[in-house]
């Protein structure tokens, strides 16, 4: 398995990642503690979709003392957004609503420009606009959410980025990201930019404010560096909460990635496209013939349609029924695919309506110093 901010592949063993990355598993005790404040648990927490964390207990200690945390997350505008990107965002919105938290949302529009050969700034400008519409459509509170765009807000970000960069040696960057002599200078510096929002409010206000960062576990190498550096500058280490990956359509392992068109469903895909992609490409846990399937049943644990329903079917009862019906052969692969198609098309239709209305709201969300 390979898991870093730019590559995810293979069969991902999340228990092993917890050990390798040195994070903590979200256990029952922590779930209870979160529930005390939120009243209910998001189904992502109940199902282990958010499975790991760093310093969640500390962030809750602070919260209980009256020191409220802000949220920080982001999206690198390098393509259209996929269902995979929704996972940390849906959860971040839930946290914002439940804790009344401010959210700093970074669009590092230079990141993929630096890391991809064929991506121009003209492209990133286009995707930035498109991605902002998707993020706004998810319903973040405009009064509490600010978009920080690296090239636009460089004046506010550059000094803190240099303070951070000064504390990171090239040898650390090589060890954490596997860089070598062929990496360009922008790539080496970039991690400093991704650290900035974890300290910017504290830097500007001149007092430490706790920060909680939700993301899928691939981004963790950046934040290991952030957590190492910020205390050296007198700031708190940010806390983090990590999700697993929505698997690719062609699964079962790995992650859905915007750059692998076969693996992904985009938030802008229409009904027909969604149906065609799932019917044609969704990895199936079914048996080769209907007779065999009816007799022996399918394997929902590797079936991508079922796996995706774990992420998008909120109703535990319905999900359990799909699991059992598929496992005992009552539900055929085509039928399970149709259940997923209906679910996604309903969700995407609503999203696309909100997305159209988002156009006029962009200005409200842009960070102002
Ligand atoms: P990016 O744009 O690749 O991805 C945005 C967010 O989506 C998560 N993600 C996924 N989650 C579940 N399943 C998937 N298949 C999947 N694919 C992507 C990513 O982990 C990420 O949380 N460098 C970052 C942008 C960034 C950022 C941040 C992300 C800047 N600051 C702070 C999180 C937190 C990037 O390229 O993400």
């Amino acid at each position: 398995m390979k898991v870093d901010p730019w590559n995810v592949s293979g069969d991902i063993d999340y228990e092993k990642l917890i050990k390798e990355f040195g994070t903590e598993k979200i256990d029952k005790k922590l779930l209870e503690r979160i529930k005390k404040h939120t009243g209910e648990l998001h189904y992502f927490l109940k199902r282990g979709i958010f499975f790991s964390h760093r310093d969640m207990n500390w962030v809750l200690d602070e919260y209980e003392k009256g020191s409220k945390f802000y949220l920080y997350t982001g999206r690198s505008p390098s393509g259209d957004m996929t269902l995979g990107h929704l996972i940390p965002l849906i959860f971040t919105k839930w946290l914002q609503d439940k804790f009344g938290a401010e959210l700093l949302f970074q669009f590092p529009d230079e990141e993929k420009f630096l890391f991809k050969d064929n991506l121009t700034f003209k492209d990133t400008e286009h995707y930035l606009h498109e991605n902002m519409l998707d993020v706004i459509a998810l319903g973040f509170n405009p009064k509490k959410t600010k978009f920080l765009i690296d090239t636009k807000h460089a004046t506010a970000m550059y000094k803190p980025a240099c303070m951070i960069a000064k504390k990171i040696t090239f040898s650390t960057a090589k060890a954490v990201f596997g860089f070598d002599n062929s990496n360009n200078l922008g790539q080496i510096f970039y991690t400093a930019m991704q650290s900035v929002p974890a300290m910017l409010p504290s830097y500007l206000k001149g007092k430490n404010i706790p920060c909680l960062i939700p993301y899928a576990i691939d981004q963790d190498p950046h934040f290991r560096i952030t957590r190492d550096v910020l205390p050296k500058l007198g700031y708190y280490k940010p806390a983090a909460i990590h999700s697993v990956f929505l698997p690719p359509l062609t699964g079962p392992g790995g992650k859905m990635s915007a750059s692998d068109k076969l693996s992904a469903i985009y938030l802008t895909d229409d009904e027909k496209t969604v149906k065609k992609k799932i019917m044609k490409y969704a990895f199936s846990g079914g048996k080769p013939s209907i007779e065999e399937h009816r007799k022996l049943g399918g394997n929902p644990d590797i079936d991508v349609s079922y796996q995706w329903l774990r992420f998008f079917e909120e109703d535990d009862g319905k999900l359990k029924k799909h699991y059992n019906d598929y496992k005992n052969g009552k539900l055929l692969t085509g039928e399970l695919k149709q259940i997923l198609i209906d679910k996604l098309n309903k969700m995407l239709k609503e999203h696309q309506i909100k997305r159209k209305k988002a156009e006029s709201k962009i200005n409200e969300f842009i960070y102002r110093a």
Side-chain angles (χ1 to χ4, degrees), residues 209-225:
I209 307 168
C211 171
L212 170 61
I213 321 177
Y215 52 90
I217 192 85
D218 59 337
Q219 295 297 315
D220 197 62
H222 285 300
F223 297 118
R224 285 209 287 278
I225 292 191

mmCIF file of all heavy atoms in Angstrom, residues 209-225:
data_model
loop_
_atom_site.group_PDB
_atom_site.id
_atom_site.type_symbol
_atom_site.label_atom_id
_atom_site.label_comp_id
_atom_site.label_asym_id
_atom_site.label_seq_id
_atom_site.Cartn_x
_atom_site.Cartn_y
_atom_site.Cartn_z
ATOM 1 N N ILE A 209 -5.240 29.992 19.559
ATOM 2 C CA ILE A 209 -6.607 29.488 19.386
ATOM 3 C C ILE A 209 -6.502 28.037 18.898
ATOM 4 O O ILE A 209 -5.807 27.775 17.909
ATOM 5 C CB ILE A 209 -7.384 30.318 18.340
ATOM 6 C CG1 ILE A 209 -7.321 31.814 18.701
ATOM 7 C CG2 ILE A 209 -8.835 29.843 18.223
ATOM 8 C CD1 ILE A 209 -7.794 32.729 17.600
ATOM 9 N N PRO A 210 -7.180 27.090 19.584
ATOM 10 C CA PRO A 210 -7.101 25.698 19.138
ATOM 11 C C PRO A 210 -7.675 25.525 17.732
ATOM 12 O O PRO A 210 -8.636 26.204 17.341
ATOM 13 C CB PRO A 210 -7.953 24.936 20.161
ATOM 14 C CG PRO A 210 -8.043 25.823 21.342
ATOM 15 C CD PRO A 210 -7.972 27.226 20.823
ATOM 16 N N CYS A 211 -7.059 24.608 16.995
ATOM 17 C CA CYS A 211 -7.451 24.363 15.600
ATOM 18 C C CYS A 211 -7.674 22.866 15.411
ATOM 19 O O CYS A 211 -6.882 22.054 15.896
ATOM 20 C CB CYS A 211 -6.308 24.850 14.700
ATOM 21 S SG CYS A 211 -6.482 24.403 12.965
ATOM 22 N N LEU A 212 -8.754 22.507 14.717
ATOM 23 C CA LEU A 212 -9.037 21.096 14.425
ATOM 24 C C LEU A 212 -9.146 20.925 12.913
ATOM 25 O O LEU A 212 -9.904 21.646 12.260
ATOM 26 C CB LEU A 212 -10.352 20.666 15.109
ATOM 27 C CG LEU A 212 -10.904 19.296 14.706
ATOM 28 C CD1 LEU A 212 -9.932 18.172 15.050
ATOM 29 C CD2 LEU A 212 -12.255 19.040 15.385
ATOM 30 N N ILE A 213 -8.378 19.968 12.373
ATOM 31 C CA ILE A 213 -8.333 19.791 10.917
ATOM 32 C C ILE A 213 -8.909 18.423 10.515
ATOM 33 O O ILE A 213 -8.302 17.396 10.799
ATOM 34 C CB ILE A 213 -6.871 19.875 10.387
ATOM 35 C CG1 ILE A 213 -6.079 20.958 11.130
ATOM 36 C CG2 ILE A 213 -6.864 20.135 8.893
ATOM 37 C CD1 ILE A 213 -4.623 21.045 10.706
ATOM 38 N N PRO A 214 -10.063 18.409 9.856
ATOM 39 C CA PRO A 214 -10.571 17.149 9.307
ATOM 40 C C PRO A 214 -10.012 16.916 7.893
ATOM 41 O O PRO A 214 -9.964 17.849 7.084
ATOM 42 C CB PRO A 214 -12.097 17.361 9.220
ATOM 43 C CG PRO A 214 -12.378 18.678 9.898
ATOM 44 C CD PRO A 214 -11.100 19.448 9.826
ATOM 45 N N TYR A 215 -9.593 15.707 7.594
ATOM 46 C CA TYR A 215 -9.093 15.364 6.255
ATOM 47 C C TYR A 215 -9.016 13.856 6.110
ATOM 48 O O TYR A 215 -9.058 13.127 7.117
ATOM 49 C CB TYR A 215 -7.712 15.994 5.996
ATOM 50 C CG TYR A 215 -6.648 15.751 7.045
ATOM 51 C CD1 TYR A 215 -5.786 14.662 6.988
ATOM 52 C CD2 TYR A 215 -6.502 16.642 8.112
ATOM 53 C CE1 TYR A 215 -4.803 14.461 7.954
ATOM 54 C CE2 TYR A 215 -5.522 16.441 9.089
ATOM 55 C CZ TYR A 215 -4.681 15.346 8.998
ATOM 56 O OH TYR A 215 -3.722 15.151 9.954
ATOM 57 N N ALA A 216 -8.917 13.374 4.869
ATOM 58 C CA ALA A 216 -8.661 11.940 4.678
ATOM 59 C C ALA A 216 -7.176 11.729 4.952
ATOM 60 O O ALA A 216 -6.345 12.608 4.706
ATOM 61 C CB ALA A 216 -9.040 11.508 3.275
ATOM 62 N N ILE A 217 -6.850 10.547 5.417
ATOM 63 C CA ILE A 217 -5.531 10.277 6.018
ATOM 64 C C ILE A 217 -4.343 10.543 5.075
ATOM 65 O O ILE A 217 -3.225 10.736 5.548
ATOM 66 C CB ILE A 217 -5.518 8.822 6.598
ATOM 67 C CG1 ILE A 217 -4.315 8.541 7.486
ATOM 68 C CG2 ILE A 217 -5.663 7.782 5.514
ATOM 69 C CD1 ILE A 217 -4.474 8.966 8.903
ATOM 70 N N ASP A 218 -4.572 10.667 3.772
ATOM 71 C CA ASP A 218 -3.457 10.935 2.842
ATOM 72 C C ASP A 218 -2.754 12.269 3.112
ATOM 73 O O ASP A 218 -1.586 12.445 2.773
ATOM 74 C CB ASP A 218 -3.929 10.898 1.373
ATOM 75 C CG ASP A 218 -5.017 11.912 1.060
ATOM 76 O OD1 ASP A 218 -5.726 12.351 1.984
ATOM 77 O OD2 ASP A 218 -5.163 12.272 -0.126
ATOM 78 N N GLN A 219 -3.479 13.227 3.721
ATOM 79 C CA GLN A 219 -2.886 14.550 3.963
ATOM 80 C C GLN A 219 -2.046 14.590 5.233
ATOM 81 O O GLN A 219 -1.440 15.604 5.557
ATOM 82 C CB GLN A 219 -3.997 15.619 4.068
ATOM 83 C CG GLN A 219 -4.776 15.825 2.791
ATOM 84 C CD GLN A 219 -3.900 16.346 1.652
ATOM 85 O OE1 GLN A 219 -3.094 17.253 1.836
ATOM 86 N NE2 GLN A 219 -4.018 15.738 0.475
ATOM 87 N N ASP A 220 -2.022 13.493 5.970
ATOM 88 C CA ASP A 220 -1.385 13.533 7.286
ATOM 89 C C ASP A 220 0.101 13.908 7.278
ATOM 90 O O ASP A 220 0.556 14.600 8.193
ATOM 91 C CB ASP A 220 -1.597 12.212 8.031
ATOM 92 C CG ASP A 220 -1.329 12.379 9.503
ATOM 93 O OD1 ASP A 220 -2.045 13.171 10.146
ATOM 94 O OD2 ASP A 220 -0.365 11.779 10.003
ATOM 95 N N PRO A 221 0.892 13.471 6.275
ATOM 96 C CA PRO A 221 2.315 13.856 6.299
ATOM 97 C C PRO A 221 2.529 15.370 6.428
ATOM 98 O O PRO A 221 3.409 15.815 7.174
ATOM 99 C CB PRO A 221 2.840 13.316 4.966
ATOM 100 C CG PRO A 221 1.972 12.110 4.709
ATOM 101 C CD PRO A 221 0.613 12.503 5.206
ATOM 102 N N HIS A 222 1.700 16.172 5.746
ATOM 103 C CA HIS A 222 1.831 17.629 5.889
ATOM 104 C C HIS A 222 1.669 18.045 7.351
ATOM 105 O O HIS A 222 2.434 18.846 7.878
ATOM 106 C CB HIS A 222 0.738 18.352 5.100
ATOM 107 C CG HIS A 222 0.948 18.370 3.620
ATOM 108 N ND1 HIS A 222 2.044 18.947 3.040
ATOM 109 C CD2 HIS A 222 0.187 17.885 2.602
ATOM 110 C CE1 HIS A 222 1.961 18.830 1.721
ATOM 111 N NE2 HIS A 222 0.848 18.184 1.430
ATOM 112 N N PHE A 223 0.623 17.488 7.969
ATOM 113 C CA PHE A 223 0.289 17.975 9.304
ATOM 114 C C PHE A 223 1.194 17.405 10.394
ATOM 115 O O PHE A 223 1.255 17.949 11.496
ATOM 116 C CB PHE A 223 -1.209 17.787 9.569
ATOM 117 C CG PHE A 223 -2.023 18.605 8.596
ATOM 118 C CD1 PHE A 223 -2.895 18.014 7.692
ATOM 119 C CD2 PHE A 223 -1.845 19.982 8.547
ATOM 120 C CE1 PHE A 223 -3.594 18.777 6.769
ATOM 121 C CE2 PHE A 223 -2.541 20.759 7.621
ATOM 122 C CZ PHE A 223 -3.416 20.158 6.733
ATOM 123 N N ARG A 224 1.923 16.334 10.076
ATOM 124 C CA ARG A 224 2.965 15.888 11.016
ATOM 125 C C ARG A 224 4.017 16.981 11.109
ATOM 126 O O ARG A 224 4.517 17.302 12.179
ATOM 127 C CB ARG A 224 3.617 14.605 10.497
ATOM 128 C CG ARG A 224 2.738 13.382 10.668
ATOM 129 C CD ARG A 224 3.571 12.132 10.821
ATOM 130 N NE ARG A 224 4.195 11.705 9.572
ATOM 131 C CZ ARG A 224 3.583 10.998 8.636
ATOM 132 N NH1 ARG A 224 2.318 10.651 8.788
ATOM 133 N NH2 ARG A 224 4.210 10.627 7.538
ATOM 134 N N ILE A 225 4.340 17.559 9.958
ATOM 135 C CA ILE A 225 5.319 18.648 9.947
ATOM 136 C C ILE A 225 4.751 19.864 10.681
ATOM 137 O O ILE A 225 5.409 20.462 11.535
ATOM 138 C CB ILE A 225 5.696 19.004 8.486
ATOM 139 C CG1 ILE A 225 6.482 17.846 7.878
ATOM 140 C CG2 ILE A 225 6.471 20.317 8.435
ATOM 141 C CD1 ILE A 225 7.137 18.149 6.544
#
